[in-house]
Amino acid sequence: MSDDLQLPRAAQIFVSFVALLRANGFSVAPEQTTSFLAAIELLGPRSLEHIRQAGLATLAPPPERRATYDRLFDIHFRGAEAIERAEGEDEETVRLQEEGRGDDEPPLADEANESGLAAARSEALVERHFAPASTSDALRRLSREAAARLPRRRGHRRRRARSGPFADLRRTLRDSVRNDGEVLRLGRLRRRERPRKILLLIDVSGSMKARTEENMTLAHALAQAAHNVEVFTFGTRLTRVTRALRLKRREQALNAAAFLVSDWDGGTRIGDALQAFLAVPRFGGYARGAAVIIVSDGLERGDPAALRDAVAKLSRRAWRVSWLTPLATTPGFKPQTEALVAIQRFVDDLVDGGSSAAVVAHLLSLGRRRAA
C-alpha cells in the first residue's frame, strides 16, 4: 500500500478554511472544495479579495450568512488584525438591525454572560430557540380587554354625539328644514377617539435572560391585539421585530424574531441602543405621541449619561414613558442602580415588570389616563 496522498503545502490553508466554515455550520460538499481549489488555481489570485470571490462562487454561502462568511474569511486569512478590529468595534458601537443580522457580525462571542445575573458590556451573538408555550391567563386577559382598555387619543376628525364641545351646524340646519325653519335642538360634535401608538422596547441582554421568552411571547400577544404596536429588542444591538411578530401563529412569529435578533443573552448597552433608536428619523417617529414601554432591569454597563439623555429625549416626544423592571417588586420601590436613578425623573412610571401579569396590568391601566 502506498502512503496516503498529502496535500501540497500551498493548498492546506485553503482546505483548512473550508474546515472552519463547516465547524461554524456551513454546508460544504467535497466537490465544492475541489472547485474552490480549482478556481484559485485558475484565477492565479493576486489579492485576498480574489480568494474571497472564488469562495463565494464555489462554496456558495447562504445570502443571510454572508456577513459570517466574510468575518470567518478575515479571521482565517488576516489573523489577529481582523480580530482586533472587530473587538474595537463591538466596544464602541451599537448596530441597528431590521431585516437581517447586520453586515458585519462576528461568528463567535468574545464573552458570554451565562448566568444572567450581571450585566456585561461585550457583544455576544447567539441564536435562540423558543419552545412552544401555553397561553397564560395574563395573555388571555390582554387579548380580551385590549380593544377597550389600551390607551387611546382624541383624533382630529369629529363625530355626532348627544353632547360635546362643538356645534354640528350642518345637522342643525338640515333638521330645521324639516321643521319649517325652527331649531328644536342644537346638534353636537365631539372628537373621535383613536388607538394610541404603543412602542415596546425589550431588553434581551444576559441579565434579563430569565424573562426574555416570556417578554417576547407577551410582545407577540400585544402585536396581535393592537395594530399600531412597534416592537424593538436591544442589548448590544437594536433590532426591529415588528414584522416578525405580526405573524399570527406564535411559534412561527417567535422563530422569525429569533432569526432576526443576534444579541440574545449578551451585553447591556441600553443608553447606546436608545441613542441609536433616536438617531434614525423613521424609528424616532414611532415614539412621537406614543405610549413607550421599556422592559429592562436597568443594569447598564455603558455611560449612564447617555441613557439619561436618551430617556429625556424620549419623554419629550412620547405621550408617556413607562419603565418596567423586575427589580421593582414592592410598591415603594426605590431605584438603587446608577442607571435607574439617572432616568427616574424622566419617566412617568417606574413599576414592576417581573411577570407577564404585572406588564399586562400596567398596559391595561394606561387606558385610564386620557390626554388631548
Side-chain angles (χ1 to χ4, degrees):
M1 294 289 293
S2 61
D3 294 334
D4 293 339
L5 293 176
Q6 297 293 325
L7 285 171
R9 180 175 300 178
Q12 290 178 0
I13 187 171
F14 304 116
V15 175
S16 61
F17 173 59
V18 174
L20 178 63
L21 290 177
R22 289 197 185 103
N24 281 272
F26 289 82
S27 298
V28 182
E31 294 81 3
Q32 290 176 286
T33 305
T34 305
S35 300
F36 178 44
L37 296 175
I40 292 173
E41 182 182 7
L42 180 64
L43 289 173
R46 298 179 181 178
S47 68
L48 285 177
E49 187 58 30
H50 290 170
I51 299 174
R52 185 195 304 270
Q53 295 301 325
L56 288 173
T58 57
L59 303 177
E64 65 271 14
R65 301 201 66 193
R66 169 67 187 276
T68 303
Y69 169 88
D70 289 340
R71 184 54 59 86
L72 286 173
F73 183 93
D74 288 340
I75 290 175
H76 185 74
F77 288 101
R78 297 182 187 275
E81 176 186 352
I83 296 176
E84 290 173 2
R85 182 171 65 250
E87 288 176 349
E89 291 173 355
D90 291 345
E91 281 294 314
E92 299 300 330
T93 61
V94 170
R95 298 172 180 82
L96 297 175
Q97 296 179 205
E98 183 169 5
E99 300 299 333
R101 294 174 177 272
D103 293 330
D104 53 353
E105 57 174 346
L108 301 173
D110 296 322
E111 179 183 347
N113 184 1
E114 304 215 351
S115 68
L117 298 178
R121 180 184 178 87
S122 64
E123 182 173 52
L125 302 185
V126 298
E127 293 185 0
R128 188 179 183 118
H129 300 281
F130 293 99
S134 59
T135 303
S136 65
D137 292 340
L139 298 187
R140 293 192 190 95
R141 182 189 177 196
L142 177 62
S143 300
R144 186 174 61 250
E145 302 181 17
R149 298 189 56 187
L150 284 179
R152 302 179 71 84
R153 66 176 179 85
R154 288 196 291 272
H156 296 291
R157 292 181 178 272
R158 300 173 183 177
R159 64 177 180 85
R160 293 179 181 179
R162 290 181 178 275
S163 61
F166 309 104
D168 187 352
L169 297 180
R170 180 178 299 177
R171 181 184 176 188
T172 301
L173 290 173
R174 188 165 54 245
D175 290 345
S176 69
V177 171
R178 299 192 187 102
N179 296 290
D180 297 327
E182 293 187 14
V183 178
L184 301 180
R185 188 170 66 90
L186 185 62
R188 308 302 298 180
L189 294 172
R190 66 188 315 156
R191 290 165 64 179
R192 294 179 182 271
E193 285 195 343
R194 301 175 59 86
R196 187 175 291 278
K197 292 185 294 184
I198 298 177
L199 173 62
L200 183 60
L201 300 162
I202 301 176
D203 188 343
V204 295
S205 64
S207 59
M208 287 287 291
K209 66 187 300 184
R211 291 281 314 147
T212 296
E213 185 164 350
E214 197 169 341
N215 287 337
M216 292 300 295
T217 303
L218 187 146
H220 175 256
L222 180 61
Q224 295 300 308
H227 297 290
N228 56 341
V229 175
E230 286 290 335
V231 185
F232 288 77
T233 66
F234 64 88
T236 55
R237 298 190 173 198
L238 178 73
T239 309
R240 181 175 180 256
V241 294
T242 307
R243 186 178 302 175
L245 296 181
R246 291 290 181 206
L247 298 173
K248 189 170 184 178
R249 290 183 54 196
R250 182 192 302 169
E251 291 78 9
Q252 185 180 7
L254 294 183
N255 287 334
F259 175 79
L260 289 175
V261 181
S262 54
D263 57 339
W264 301 109
D265 308 335
T268 310
R269 297 205 295 270
I270 308 173
D272 293 340
L274 295 181
Q275 292 281 8
F277 173 86
L278 292 168
V280 179
R282 181 164 61 92
F283 290 176
Y286 295 147
R288 196 170 302 279
V292 178
I293 312 295
I294 303 173
V295 183
S296 172
D297 52 14
L299 298 180
E300 170 70 301
R301 289 298 300 272
D303 184 4
L307 176 59
R308 181 196 61 222
D309 294 343
V311 175
K313 291 178 183 177
L314 270 178
S315 68
R316 290 193 291 270
R317 295 188 185 187
W319 167 67
R320 193 174 189 88
V321 178
S322 300
W323 193 292
L324 278 62
T325 170
L327 304 178
T329 55
T330 58
F333 169 71
K334 297 290 185 182
Q336 301 295 324
T337 64
E338 188 176 5
L340 291 182
V341 170
I343 60 94
Q344 186 177 13
R345 64 193 179 100
F346 298 110
V347 299
D348 299 284
D349 309 294
L350 185 58
V351 296
D352 182 20
S355 67
S356 292
V359 177
V360 168
H362 180 73
L363 284 170
L364 298 179
S365 72
L366 294 176
R368 298 195 297 266
R369 301 177 173 93
R370 304 298 175 110

PDB file of all heavy atoms in Angstrom, residues 262-298:
ATOM      1  N   SER A 262     -29.728  38.855  16.979  1.00  0.00           N
ATOM      2  CA  SER A 262     -28.490  38.082  17.103  1.00  0.00           C
ATOM      3  C   SER A 262     -27.737  38.381  18.398  1.00  0.00           C
ATOM      4  O   SER A 262     -26.645  37.865  18.599  1.00  0.00           O
ATOM      5  CB  SER A 262     -27.579  38.364  15.903  1.00  0.00           C
ATOM      6  OG  SER A 262     -27.356  39.745  15.757  1.00  0.00           O
ATOM      7  N   ASP A 263     -28.285  39.219  19.271  1.00  0.00           N
ATOM      8  CA  ASP A 263     -27.565  39.537  20.516  1.00  0.00           C
ATOM      9  C   ASP A 263     -28.309  39.033  21.748  1.00  0.00           C
ATOM     10  O   ASP A 263     -28.256  39.650  22.813  1.00  0.00           O
ATOM     11  CB  ASP A 263     -27.327  41.050  20.628  1.00  0.00           C
ATOM     12  CG  ASP A 263     -28.613  41.866  20.559  1.00  0.00           C
ATOM     13  OD1 ASP A 263     -29.613  41.340  20.031  1.00  0.00           O
ATOM     14  OD2 ASP A 263     -28.623  43.018  21.021  1.00  0.00           O
ATOM     15  N   TRP A 264     -28.996  37.888  21.617  1.00  0.00           N
ATOM     16  CA  TRP A 264     -29.652  37.290  22.783  1.00  0.00           C
ATOM     17  C   TRP A 264     -28.630  37.034  23.887  1.00  0.00           C
ATOM     18  O   TRP A 264     -27.524  36.549  23.627  1.00  0.00           O
ATOM     19  CB  TRP A 264     -30.301  35.954  22.424  1.00  0.00           C
ATOM     20  CG  TRP A 264     -31.330  35.986  21.349  1.00  0.00           C
ATOM     21  CD1 TRP A 264     -31.204  35.495  20.092  1.00  0.00           C
ATOM     22  CD2 TRP A 264     -32.665  36.508  21.433  1.00  0.00           C
ATOM     23  NE1 TRP A 264     -32.364  35.679  19.378  1.00  0.00           N
ATOM     24  CE2 TRP A 264     -33.283  36.304  20.176  1.00  0.00           C
ATOM     25  CE3 TRP A 264     -33.387  37.133  22.436  1.00  0.00           C
ATOM     26  CZ2 TRP A 264     -34.588  36.684  19.900  1.00  0.00           C
ATOM     27  CZ3 TRP A 264     -34.689  37.516  22.162  1.00  0.00           C
ATOM     28  CH2 TRP A 264     -35.278  37.296  20.924  1.00  0.00           C
ATOM     29  N   ASP A 265     -29.015  37.319  25.127  1.00  0.00           N
ATOM     30  CA  ASP A 265     -28.234  36.947  26.317  1.00  0.00           C
ATOM     31  C   ASP A 265     -26.806  37.491  26.267  1.00  0.00           C
ATOM     32  O   ASP A 265     -25.884  36.871  26.793  1.00  0.00           O
ATOM     33  CB  ASP A 265     -28.196  35.419  26.478  1.00  0.00           C
ATOM     34  CG  ASP A 265     -29.574  34.803  26.437  1.00  0.00           C
ATOM     35  OD1 ASP A 265     -30.548  35.512  26.756  1.00  0.00           O
ATOM     36  OD2 ASP A 265     -29.694  33.620  26.066  1.00  0.00           O
ATOM     37  N   GLY A 266     -26.612  38.630  25.631  1.00  0.00           N
ATOM     38  CA  GLY A 266     -25.276  39.203  25.512  1.00  0.00           C
ATOM     39  C   GLY A 266     -25.067  40.352  26.475  1.00  0.00           C
ATOM     40  O   GLY A 266     -25.548  40.353  27.607  1.00  0.00           O
ATOM     41  N   GLY A 267     -24.345  41.368  26.018  1.00  0.00           N
ATOM     42  CA  GLY A 267     -24.021  42.511  26.858  1.00  0.00           C
ATOM     43  C   GLY A 267     -25.189  43.482  26.993  1.00  0.00           C
ATOM     44  O   GLY A 267     -26.257  43.292  26.408  1.00  0.00           O
ATOM     45  N   THR A 268     -24.963  44.541  27.777  1.00  0.00           N
ATOM     46  CA  THR A 268     -26.022  45.512  28.066  1.00  0.00           C
ATOM     47  C   THR A 268     -25.510  46.918  27.806  1.00  0.00           C
ATOM     48  O   THR A 268     -24.665  47.406  28.541  1.00  0.00           O
ATOM     49  CB  THR A 268     -26.475  45.394  29.537  1.00  0.00           C
ATOM     50  OG1 THR A 268     -26.750  44.041  29.840  1.00  0.00           O
ATOM     51  CG2 THR A 268     -27.715  46.242  29.775  1.00  0.00           C
ATOM     52  N   ARG A 269     -26.016  47.553  26.755  1.00  0.00           N
ATOM     53  CA  ARG A 269     -25.690  48.954  26.476  1.00  0.00           C
ATOM     54  C   ARG A 269     -26.992  49.661  26.132  1.00  0.00           C
ATOM     55  O   ARG A 269     -27.296  49.954  24.973  1.00  0.00           O
ATOM     56  CB  ARG A 269     -24.663  49.047  25.344  1.00  0.00           C
ATOM     57  CG  ARG A 269     -23.325  48.406  25.685  1.00  0.00           C
ATOM     58  CD  ARG A 269     -22.182  49.010  24.881  1.00  0.00           C
ATOM     59  NE  ARG A 269     -22.305  48.750  23.462  1.00  0.00           N
ATOM     60  CZ  ARG A 269     -21.791  47.688  22.843  1.00  0.00           C
ATOM     61  NH1 ARG A 269     -21.167  46.762  23.554  1.00  0.00           N
ATOM     62  NH2 ARG A 269     -21.933  47.530  21.541  1.00  0.00           N
ATOM     63  N   ILE A 270     -27.780  49.933  27.160  1.00  0.00           N
ATOM     64  CA  ILE A 270     -29.127  50.467  26.966  1.00  0.00           C
ATOM     65  C   ILE A 270     -29.066  51.879  26.401  1.00  0.00           C
ATOM     66  O   ILE A 270     -29.792  52.221  25.458  1.00  0.00           O
ATOM     67  CB  ILE A 270     -29.908  50.457  28.296  1.00  0.00           C
ATOM     68  CG1 ILE A 270     -29.860  49.071  28.939  1.00  0.00           C
ATOM     69  CG2 ILE A 270     -31.351  50.875  28.071  1.00  0.00           C
ATOM     70  CD1 ILE A 270     -30.453  49.022  30.334  1.00  0.00           C
ATOM     71  N   GLY A 271     -28.222  52.723  26.972  1.00  0.00           N
ATOM     72  CA  GLY A 271     -28.143  54.102  26.521  1.00  0.00           C
ATOM     73  C   GLY A 271     -27.751  54.204  25.060  1.00  0.00           C
ATOM     74  O   GLY A 271     -28.347  54.958  24.289  1.00  0.00           O
ATOM     75  N   ASP A 272     -26.737  53.438  24.653  1.00  0.00           N
ATOM     76  CA  ASP A 272     -26.304  53.471  23.255  1.00  0.00           C
ATOM     77  C   ASP A 272     -27.404  52.965  22.334  1.00  0.00           C
ATOM     78  O   ASP A 272     -27.589  53.474  21.226  1.00  0.00           O
ATOM     79  CB  ASP A 272     -25.040  52.631  23.080  1.00  0.00           C
ATOM     80  CG  ASP A 272     -23.842  53.228  23.797  1.00  0.00           C
ATOM     81  OD1 ASP A 272     -23.891  54.429  24.087  1.00  0.00           O
ATOM     82  OD2 ASP A 272     -22.882  52.498  24.077  1.00  0.00           O
ATOM     83  N   ALA A 273     -28.147  51.940  22.772  1.00  0.00           N
ATOM     84  CA  ALA A 273     -29.227  51.401  21.942  1.00  0.00           C
ATOM     85  C   ALA A 273     -30.337  52.433  21.767  1.00  0.00           C
ATOM     86  O   ALA A 273     -30.859  52.620  20.660  1.00  0.00           O
ATOM     87  CB  ALA A 273     -29.776  50.122  22.573  1.00  0.00           C
ATOM     88  N   LEU A 274     -30.709  53.127  22.837  1.00  0.00           N
ATOM     89  CA  LEU A 274     -31.755  54.145  22.728  1.00  0.00           C
ATOM     90  C   LEU A 274     -31.284  55.348  21.916  1.00  0.00           C
ATOM     91  O   LEU A 274     -32.068  55.951  21.172  1.00  0.00           O
ATOM     92  CB  LEU A 274     -32.204  54.586  24.126  1.00  0.00           C
ATOM     93  CG  LEU A 274     -32.897  53.510  24.978  1.00  0.00           C
ATOM     94  CD1 LEU A 274     -33.319  54.097  26.325  1.00  0.00           C
ATOM     95  CD2 LEU A 274     -34.103  52.928  24.257  1.00  0.00           C
ATOM     96  N   GLN A 275     -30.007  55.705  22.043  1.00  0.00           N
ATOM     97  CA  GLN A 275     -29.477  56.791  21.219  1.00  0.00           C
ATOM     98  C   GLN A 275     -29.507  56.406  19.747  1.00  0.00           C
ATOM     99  O   GLN A 275     -29.831  57.232  18.876  1.00  0.00           O
ATOM    100  CB  GLN A 275     -28.034  57.113  21.644  1.00  0.00           C
ATOM    101  CG  GLN A 275     -27.897  57.725  23.029  1.00  0.00           C
ATOM    102  CD  GLN A 275     -28.233  59.208  23.051  1.00  0.00           C
ATOM    103  OE1 GLN A 275     -28.706  59.771  22.067  1.00  0.00           O
ATOM    104  NE2 GLN A 275     -27.991  59.857  24.185  1.00  0.00           N
ATOM    105  N   ALA A 276     -29.181  55.133  19.445  1.00  0.00           N
ATOM    106  CA  ALA A 276     -29.245  54.669  18.057  1.00  0.00           C
ATOM    107  C   ALA A 276     -30.679  54.687  17.550  1.00  0.00           C
ATOM    108  O   ALA A 276     -30.937  55.029  16.384  1.00  0.00           O
ATOM    109  CB  ALA A 276     -28.663  53.259  17.964  1.00  0.00           C
ATOM    110  N   PHE A 277     -31.629  54.335  18.405  1.00  0.00           N
ATOM    111  CA  PHE A 277     -33.041  54.384  18.022  1.00  0.00           C
ATOM    112  C   PHE A 277     -33.453  55.802  17.646  1.00  0.00           C
ATOM    113  O   PHE A 277     -34.084  56.031  16.613  1.00  0.00           O
ATOM    114  CB  PHE A 277     -33.891  53.866  19.185  1.00  0.00           C
ATOM    115  CG  PHE A 277     -35.365  54.014  18.985  1.00  0.00           C
ATOM    116  CD1 PHE A 277     -36.093  53.050  18.318  1.00  0.00           C
ATOM    117  CD2 PHE A 277     -36.032  55.129  19.472  1.00  0.00           C
ATOM    118  CE1 PHE A 277     -37.460  53.194  18.116  1.00  0.00           C
ATOM    119  CE2 PHE A 277     -37.396  55.283  19.282  1.00  0.00           C
ATOM    120  CZ  PHE A 277     -38.105  54.301  18.606  1.00  0.00           C
ATOM    121  N   LEU A 278     -33.079  56.770  18.462  1.00  0.00           N
ATOM    122  CA  LEU A 278     -33.479  58.156  18.224  1.00  0.00           C
ATOM    123  C   LEU A 278     -32.742  58.762  17.036  1.00  0.00           C
ATOM    124  O   LEU A 278     -33.220  59.737  16.443  1.00  0.00           O
ATOM    125  CB  LEU A 278     -33.211  58.982  19.480  1.00  0.00           C
ATOM    126  CG  LEU A 278     -34.095  58.645  20.685  1.00  0.00           C
ATOM    127  CD1 LEU A 278     -33.544  59.301  21.950  1.00  0.00           C
ATOM    128  CD2 LEU A 278     -35.523  59.091  20.442  1.00  0.00           C
ATOM    129  N   ALA A 279     -31.593  58.205  16.668  1.00  0.00           N
ATOM    130  CA  ALA A 279     -30.808  58.752  15.563  1.00  0.00           C
ATOM    131  C   ALA A 279     -31.425  58.441  14.207  1.00  0.00           C
ATOM    132  O   ALA A 279     -31.092  59.096  13.216  1.00  0.00           O
ATOM    133  CB  ALA A 279     -29.380  58.225  15.613  1.00  0.00           C
ATOM    134  N   VAL A 280     -32.314  57.453  14.127  1.00  0.00           N
ATOM    135  CA  VAL A 280     -32.973  57.105  12.869  1.00  0.00           C
ATOM    136  C   VAL A 280     -34.318  57.822  12.844  1.00  0.00           C
ATOM    137  O   VAL A 280     -35.191  57.535  13.664  1.00  0.00           O
ATOM    138  CB  VAL A 280     -33.173  55.581  12.760  1.00  0.00           C
ATOM    139  CG1 VAL A 280     -33.876  55.228  11.455  1.00  0.00           C
ATOM    140  CG2 VAL A 280     -31.831  54.866  12.860  1.00  0.00           C
ATOM    141  N   PRO A 281     -34.528  58.761  11.927  1.00  0.00           N
ATOM    142  CA  PRO A 281     -35.771  59.548  11.941  1.00  0.00           C
ATOM    143  C   PRO A 281     -37.028  58.690  11.896  1.00  0.00           C
ATOM    144  O   PRO A 281     -38.003  58.988  12.591  1.00  0.00           O
ATOM    145  CB  PRO A 281     -35.641  60.427  10.686  1.00  0.00           C
ATOM    146  CG  PRO A 281     -34.168  60.551  10.469  1.00  0.00           C
ATOM    147  CD  PRO A 281     -33.593  59.238  10.898  1.00  0.00           C
ATOM    148  N   ARG A 282     -37.019  57.628  11.090  1.00  0.00           N
ATOM    149  CA  ARG A 282     -38.214  56.783  10.994  1.00  0.00           C
ATOM    150  C   ARG A 282     -38.503  56.101  12.324  1.00  0.00           C
ATOM    151  O   ARG A 282     -39.653  55.998  12.752  1.00  0.00           O
ATOM    152  CB  ARG A 282     -38.025  55.738   9.892  1.00  0.00           C
ATOM    153  CG  ARG A 282     -39.223  54.823   9.710  1.00  0.00           C
ATOM    154  CD  ARG A 282     -39.112  54.109   8.380  1.00  0.00           C
ATOM    155  NE  ARG A 282     -37.919  53.301   8.308  1.00  0.00           N
ATOM    156  CZ  ARG A 282     -37.868  52.006   8.649  1.00  0.00           C
ATOM    157  NH1 ARG A 282     -38.950  51.408   9.076  1.00  0.00           N
ATOM    158  NH2 ARG A 282     -36.751  51.331   8.550  1.00  0.00           N
ATOM    159  N   PHE A 283     -37.461  55.628  12.995  1.00  0.00           N
ATOM    160  CA  PHE A 283     -37.666  54.989  14.291  1.00  0.00           C
ATOM    161  C   PHE A 283     -38.126  56.009  15.323  1.00  0.00           C
ATOM    162  O   PHE A 283     -39.040  55.754  16.108  1.00  0.00           O
ATOM    163  CB  PHE A 283     -36.372  54.325  14.764  1.00  0.00           C
ATOM    164  CG  PHE A 283     -35.986  53.104  13.972  1.00  0.00           C
ATOM    165  CD1 PHE A 283     -34.798  52.439  14.230  1.00  0.00           C
ATOM    166  CD2 PHE A 283     -36.795  52.614  12.957  1.00  0.00           C
ATOM    167  CE1 PHE A 283     -34.436  51.322  13.510  1.00  0.00           C
ATOM    168  CE2 PHE A 283     -36.444  51.503  12.225  1.00  0.00           C
ATOM    169  CZ  PHE A 283     -35.258  50.850  12.498  1.00  0.00           C
ATOM    170  N   GLY A 284     -37.468  57.165  15.347  1.00  0.00           N
ATOM    171  CA  GLY A 284     -37.850  58.195  16.302  1.00  0.00           C
ATOM    172  C   GLY A 284     -39.290  58.637  16.130  1.00  0.00           C
ATOM    173  O   GLY A 284     -39.954  59.013  17.098  1.00  0.00           O
ATOM    174  N   GLY A 285     -39.791  58.575  14.889  1.00  0.00           N
ATOM    175  CA  GLY A 285     -41.188  58.924  14.649  1.00  0.00           C
ATOM    176  C   GLY A 285     -42.157  57.976  15.306  1.00  0.00           C
ATOM    177  O   GLY A 285     -43.297  58.354  15.623  1.00  0.00           O
ATOM    178  N   TYR A 286     -41.740  56.724  15.512  1.00  0.00           N
ATOM    179  CA  TYR A 286     -42.619  55.776  16.193  1.00  0.00           C
ATOM    180  C   TYR A 286     -42.918  56.204  17.622  1.00  0.00           C
ATOM    181  O   TYR A 286     -43.955  55.841  18.191  1.00  0.00           O
ATOM    182  CB  TYR A 286     -41.981  54.383  16.229  1.00  0.00           C
ATOM    183  CG  TYR A 286     -41.786  53.728  14.888  1.00  0.00           C
ATOM    184  CD1 TYR A 286     -40.703  52.889  14.651  1.00  0.00           C
ATOM    185  CD2 TYR A 286     -42.680  53.940  13.841  1.00  0.00           C
ATOM    186  CE1 TYR A 286     -40.516  52.270  13.422  1.00  0.00           C
ATOM    187  CE2 TYR A 286     -42.497  53.343  12.615  1.00  0.00           C
ATOM    188  CZ  TYR A 286     -41.420  52.503  12.404  1.00  0.00           C
ATOM    189  OH  TYR A 286     -41.236  51.905  11.194  1.00  0.00           O
ATOM    190  N   ALA A 287     -42.009  56.974  18.222  1.00  0.00           N
ATOM    191  CA  ALA A 287     -42.186  57.375  19.623  1.00  0.00           C
ATOM    192  C   ALA A 287     -43.046  58.614  19.775  1.00  0.00           C
ATOM    193  O   ALA A 287     -43.523  58.895  20.884  1.00  0.00           O
ATOM    194  CB  ALA A 287     -40.820  57.621  20.265  1.00  0.00           C
ATOM    195  N   ARG A 288     -43.269  59.361  18.699  1.00  0.00           N
ATOM    196  CA  ARG A 288     -43.988  60.631  18.819  1.00  0.00           C
ATOM    197  C   ARG A 288     -45.449  60.394  19.191  1.00  0.00           C
ATOM    198  O   ARG A 288     -46.193  59.759  18.450  1.00  0.00           O
ATOM    199  CB  ARG A 288     -43.889  61.416  17.511  1.00  0.00           C
ATOM    200  CG  ARG A 288     -44.261  62.879  17.662  1.00  0.00           C
ATOM    201  CD  ARG A 288     -43.910  63.652  16.411  1.00  0.00           C
ATOM    202  NE  ARG A 288     -42.498  63.556  16.079  1.00  0.00           N
ATOM    203  CZ  ARG A 288     -41.537  64.274  16.646  1.00  0.00           C
ATOM    204  NH1 ARG A 288     -41.857  65.145  17.603  1.00  0.00           N
ATOM    205  NH2 ARG A 288     -40.288  64.124  16.282  1.00  0.00           N
ATOM    206  N   GLY A 289     -45.853  60.892  20.362  1.00  0.00           N
ATOM    207  CA  GLY A 289     -47.225  60.741  20.835  1.00  0.00           C
ATOM    208  C   GLY A 289     -47.569  59.333  21.274  1.00  0.00           C
ATOM    209  O   GLY A 289     -48.746  59.029  21.491  1.00  0.00           O
ATOM    210  N   ALA A 290     -46.582  58.470  21.431  1.00  0.00           N
ATOM    211  CA  ALA A 290     -46.831  57.056  21.743  1.00  0.00           C
ATOM    212  C   ALA A 290     -46.703  56.781  23.232  1.00  0.00           C
ATOM    213  O   ALA A 290     -46.098  57.553  23.983  1.00  0.00           O
ATOM    214  CB  ALA A 290     -45.861  56.166  20.972  1.00  0.00           C
ATOM    215  N   ALA A 291     -47.288  55.664  23.638  1.00  0.00           N
ATOM    216  CA  ALA A 291     -47.026  55.124  24.970  1.00  0.00           C
ATOM    217  C   ALA A 291     -45.785  54.247  24.852  1.00  0.00           C
ATOM    218  O   ALA A 291     -45.810  53.193  24.221  1.00  0.00           O
ATOM    219  CB  ALA A 291     -48.215  54.309  25.454  1.00  0.00           C
ATOM    220  N   VAL A 292     -44.675  54.697  25.411  1.00  0.00           N
ATOM    221  CA  VAL A 292     -43.398  53.991  25.305  1.00  0.00           C
ATOM    222  C   VAL A 292     -43.232  53.097  26.531  1.00  0.00           C
ATOM    223  O   VAL A 292     -43.267  53.570  27.666  1.00  0.00           O
ATOM    224  CB  VAL A 292     -42.227  54.981  25.194  1.00  0.00           C
ATOM    225  CG1 VAL A 292     -40.900  54.240  25.137  1.00  0.00           C
ATOM    226  CG2 VAL A 292     -42.400  55.866  23.965  1.00  0.00           C
ATOM    227  N   ILE A 293     -43.063  51.807  26.275  1.00  0.00           N
ATOM    228  CA  ILE A 293     -42.891  50.821  27.341  1.00  0.00           C
ATOM    229  C   ILE A 293     -41.501  50.216  27.211  1.00  0.00           C
ATOM    230  O   ILE A 293     -41.191  49.577  26.201  1.00  0.00           O
ATOM    231  CB  ILE A 293     -43.953  49.700  27.251  1.00  0.00           C
ATOM    232  CG1 ILE A 293     -45.359  50.284  27.076  1.00  0.00           C
ATOM    233  CG2 ILE A 293     -43.868  48.795  28.464  1.00  0.00           C
ATOM    234  CD1 ILE A 293     -45.836  51.089  28.242  1.00  0.00           C
ATOM    235  N   ILE A 294     -40.653  50.422  28.198  1.00  0.00           N
ATOM    236  CA  ILE A 294     -39.299  49.855  28.210  1.00  0.00           C
ATOM    237  C   ILE A 294     -39.262  48.770  29.270  1.00  0.00           C
ATOM    238  O   ILE A 294     -39.496  49.038  30.458  1.00  0.00           O
ATOM    239  CB  ILE A 294     -38.238  50.928  28.508  1.00  0.00           C
ATOM    240  CG1 ILE A 294     -38.337  52.059  27.485  1.00  0.00           C
ATOM    241  CG2 ILE A 294     -36.848  50.326  28.499  1.00  0.00           C
ATOM    242  CD1 ILE A 294     -37.441  53.245  27.795  1.00  0.00           C
ATOM    243  N   VAL A 295     -39.005  47.535  28.845  1.00  0.00           N
ATOM    244  CA  VAL A 295     -38.940  46.402  29.765  1.00  0.00           C
ATOM    245  C   VAL A 295     -37.471  46.044  29.948  1.00  0.00           C
ATOM    246  O   VAL A 295     -36.849  45.442  29.074  1.00  0.00           O
ATOM    247  CB  VAL A 295     -39.737  45.198  29.235  1.00  0.00           C
ATOM    248  CG1 VAL A 295     -39.716  44.062  30.243  1.00  0.00           C
ATOM    249  CG2 VAL A 295     -41.176  45.606  28.927  1.00  0.00           C
ATOM    250  N   SER A 296     -36.904  46.434  31.080  1.00  0.00           N
ATOM    251  CA  SER A 296     -35.476  46.226  31.323  1.00  0.00           C
ATOM    252  C   SER A 296     -35.197  46.333  32.804  1.00  0.00           C
ATOM    253  O   SER A 296     -35.881  47.069  33.525  1.00  0.00           O
ATOM    254  CB  SER A 296     -34.648  47.264  30.553  1.00  0.00           C
ATOM    255  OG  SER A 296     -33.289  47.198  30.907  1.00  0.00           O
ATOM    256  N   ASP A 297     -34.149  45.622  33.253  1.00  0.00           N
ATOM    257  CA  ASP A 297     -33.752  45.734  34.653  1.00  0.00           C
ATOM    258  C   ASP A 297     -32.901  46.968  34.911  1.00  0.00           C
ATOM    259  O   ASP A 297     -32.635  47.317  36.061  1.00  0.00           O
ATOM    260  CB  ASP A 297     -33.008  44.480  35.105  1.00  0.00           C
ATOM    261  CG  ASP A 297     -31.852  44.107  34.187  1.00  0.00           C
ATOM    262  OD1 ASP A 297     -31.462  44.953  33.354  1.00  0.00           O
ATOM    263  OD2 ASP A 297     -31.353  42.969  34.271  1.00  0.00           O
ATOM    264  N   GLY A 298     -32.423  47.627  33.839  1.00  0.00           N
ATOM    265  CA  GLY A 298     -31.635  48.844  34.013  1.00  0.00           C
ATOM    266  C   GLY A 298     -30.217  48.606  34.480  1.00  0.00           C
ATOM    267  O   GLY A 298     -29.559  49.540  34.949  1.00  0.00           O
TER     268      GLY A 298
END
